[in-house]
Amino acid sequence: MTDRTILIRREGTHGIPVEEYAAAIRERRPDDDVILARTRSEELDLIEDADVVAGLTFDEELLERASSMQLFAGLAAGYEHLPLEEIAERGAVVTNASGVHGPNMAEQVLGNLLVFARRLDEGWRRQQDRHWEHYQAGELKGSTVTVVGLGAIGQDIVQRLEPFEVGTIGARYTPEKGGPTDEIVGLKGAEFEDAISRTDYLVLACPLTETTEGLIDADVFETLPPSAVLVNVARGRVVETDALLNALRGNELGGAALDVTDPEPLPEGHPLWNFENVQITPHMAGCTPHYYERCADILSRNLETVDKTGEYRDLENQVAGPK
């Protein structure tokens, strides 16, 4: 006798077959009925009896049929694309995959910082030209790294920076929550501006919200030291692209590492491709072979909570639910 039905939508992520997620859930929840829908028709048919639905997106047609759903387990850290209010109005809870990306995204940020600090990109260019000549490089040690967003990803970034003897500033919507950085500031006001003015590396690891959309604008680029480097693993729209282009063209920025852009995908003819001091990766900082294992761990822990309490509430990574 199974406890519940878990429907896994057919949409995968990061090029990893979604079958791996289904297998990971079955291993952790052998008494539950774990079903992987392989077609749209199967999704629409099976969702009517599903207690738990897991996937990246959730559309109106599915929502209308999800009469038994108690939990939508999102497979992405971002949730701004989901109909949160509509799902909550139907009595269901929404969780996300916050924390799943932490180790790999933090490693990518660290790699970006080291490339700029040690000018490894210049070495790669000289290698392509088979040109052996020394050039000046700097150190990460002693610099100031400001991390915008101190959720699971931001905290992992700060943790990995500790051995490098850098100063750290954390910027978050609710600075009173504190954090693992040397200093904490809010996302606006004199303290934020002062922090930006002392920043060597500005790392964006925050969700996209009304507060953070366009947060990094012309004023921020004017306040940053001209040698500063921007690293964005958050969302493209956290940065005003025109302001970024103007800063790069005016030599008001030392460089940028962009895993996300606005627009995205970045069109072939976009001017951001043309700067030697801009590193672009195709929104893959979250990619890791352990992705689905970590997602399965979150869902498993949440279902253990439900087993104990009998209720779908106060779950790990809960971002919406009935009031």
Side-chain angles (χ1 to χ4, degrees):
M1 187 80 178
T2 60
D3 291 333
R4 61 181 60 81
T5 299
I6 303 172
L7 174 64
I8 300 175
R9 295 200 60 201
R10 68 193 191 284
E11 50 188 6
T13 184
H14 298 301
I16 309 172
V18 73
E19 286 82 0
E20 292 188 14
Y21 181 56
I25 294 298
R26 291 188 182 108
E27 180 182 354
R28 289 160 176 76
R29 303 291 303 180
D31 294 329
D32 290 333
D33 188 13
V34 180
I35 303 172
L36 173 59
R38 299 186 180 279
T39 66
R40 176 67 175 181
S41 296
E42 283 188 357
E43 287 182 341
L44 293 171
D45 180 45
L46 296 169
I47 200 170
E48 295 183 6
D49 298 319
D51 304 289
V52 177
V53 179
L56 291 170
T57 61
F58 203 75
D59 58 61
E60 183 176 348
E61 188 176 18
L62 288 171
L63 185 60
E64 289 178 355
R65 294 177 178 241
S67 55
S68 301
M69 185 177 71
Q70 300 293 312
L71 166 64
F72 178 75
L75 295 179
Y79 49 86
E80 65 274 0
H81 61 289
L82 296 172
L84 300 179
E85 292 185 8
E86 292 85 348
I87 294 175
E89 286 174 358
R90 289 175 171 262
V93 167
V94 180
T95 60
N96 70 348
S98 177
V100 168
H101 310 81
N104 41 292
M105 293 186 74
E107 289 176 5
Q108 176 142 337
V109 167
L110 188 58
N112 291 142
L113 300 185
L114 289 171
V115 166
F116 274 104
R118 296 300 303 162
R119 295 187 65 198
L120 298 179
D121 54 332
E122 177 61 25
W124 295 331
R125 278 191 289 271
R126 296 188 184 210
Q127 179 182 353
Q128 295 301 313
D129 295 334
R130 301 184 181 185
H131 179 61
W132 182 280
E133 183 181 356
H134 286 273
Y135 59 91
Q136 289 294 317
E139 292 184 356
L140 190 56
K141 178 181 178 180
S143 62
T144 297
V145 182
T146 296
V147 180
V148 178
L150 289 178
I153 295 169
Q155 292 186 41
D156 272 14
I157 292 169
V158 174
Q159 181 185 22
R160 282 158 178 76
L161 285 171
E162 289 180 5
F164 290 88
E165 301 180 42
V166 300
T168 54
I169 303 173
R172 65 188 313 172
Y173 181 75
T174 50
E176 59 271 16
K177 287 184 177 180
T181 50
D182 299 326
E183 302 175 44
I184 299 286
V185 299
L187 295 180
K188 58 184 178 180
E191 287 189 345
F192 180 70
E193 292 172 358
D194 176 66
I196 291 297
S197 72
R198 295 183 283 119
T199 295
D200 297 301
Y201 297 94
L202 179 59
V203 178
L204 308 180
C206 55
L208 179 65
T209 66
E210 290 183 0
T211 301
T212 61
E213 184 168 4
L215 176 68
I216 310 304
D217 57 10
D219 287 340
V220 170
F221 288 119
E222 290 175 4
T223 305
L224 279 169
S227 59
V229 171
L230 172 70
V231 179
N232 190 4
V233 292
R235 286 292 186 269
R237 284 190 286 150
V238 174
V239 178
E240 288 189 359
T241 301
D242 287 344
L244 171 60
L245 287 169
N246 289 336
L248 290 166
R249 287 166 176 156
N251 294 319
E252 298 171 357
L253 191 67
L258 308 175
D259 187 59
V260 289
T261 59
D262 179 30
E264 189 174 306
L266 194 64
E268 183 178 350
H270 199 280
L272 276 174
W273 289 113
N274 301 326
F275 294 94
E276 284 193 350
N277 59 342
V278 174
Q279 303 166 18
I280 297 173
T281 48
H283 202 149
M284 49 67 62
C287 183
T288 169
H290 307 294
Y291 192 93
Y292 283 140
E293 292 288 329
R294 294 171 184 159
C295 286
D297 287 339
I298 294 172
L299 179 55
S300 180
R301 287 193 295 268
N302 279 333
L303 294 182
E304 288 172 4
T305 297
V306 175
D307 290 341
K308 293 176 182 176
T309 65
E311 296 181 310
Y312 287 84
R313 60 186 304 169
D314 299 325
L315 301 181
E316 179 181 344
N317 285 4
Q318 182 171 324
V319 295
K323 298 181 179 179

